[in-house]
Amino acid sequence: VTRRLLWHTPNEVKPIQGESISSHIRRLQTNKALGVMKGIWDLVFYWKGVLYIFDIKIGHDRLSEEQLHFQSQVILQGGKSFVIENVQQFKSIILTLPL
């Protein structure tokens, strides 16, 4: 039932080993033209009319300004957000969502 309702937005555009700077810049520009943007959270889950966003933060990693802006916009539209520090925390949140 939840198949295709949870997805990862691949916003990480790191250089490929051996890739030239100009090639990497072209890939960045192509991805931007396709809609990739800074600040989008790691996981998005649409369930029972609510958009849930999850960002995975391990250790001292913190939300960026762009991520905080994205979070505020989702919440303004009735969405919910969670910062995830481990798999068990993610599982417990998912299991408490309404059936």
Side-chain angles (χ1 to χ4, degrees):
V1 171
T2 59
R3 190 88 170 138
R4 300 188 190 274
L5 297 177
L6 173 68
W7 66 90
H8 164 70
T9 303
N11 274 348
E12 305 83 13
V13 186
K14 296 177 182 172
I16 298 169
Q17 185 175 2
E19 180 179 36
S20 69
I21 293 171
S22 62
S23 178
H24 183 233
I25 290 171
R26 277 194 302 277
R27 273 194 320 115
L28 289 170
Q29 291 171 336
T30 299
N31 285 349
K32 186 175 180 180
L34 292 171
V36 172
M37 59 181 16
K38 282 185 174 184
I40 303 303
W41 284 29
D42 295 322
L43 297 170
V44 181
F45 184 48
Y46 187 70
W47 184 249
K48 303 283 183 175
V50 178
L51 189 70
Y52 296 88
I53 58 173
F54 301 90
D55 204 78
I56 300 165
K57 297 295 182 195
I58 306 296
H60 297 291
D61 196 10
R62 298 287 175 252
L63 296 173
S64 68
E65 287 299 317
E66 292 91 351
Q67 288 174 314
L68 291 169
H69 179 71
F70 179 68
Q71 176 188 36
S72 69
Q73 297 305 302
V74 169
I75 290 170
L76 280 172
Q77 296 298 319
K80 299 189 184 297
S81 65
F82 300 90
V83 176
I84 301 300
E85 296 176 359
N86 58 61
V87 173
Q88 189 55 45
Q89 180 189 11
F90 178 72
K91 285 180 182 180
S92 67
I93 291 167
I94 293 296
L95 291 174
T96 61
L97 296 179
L99 296 177

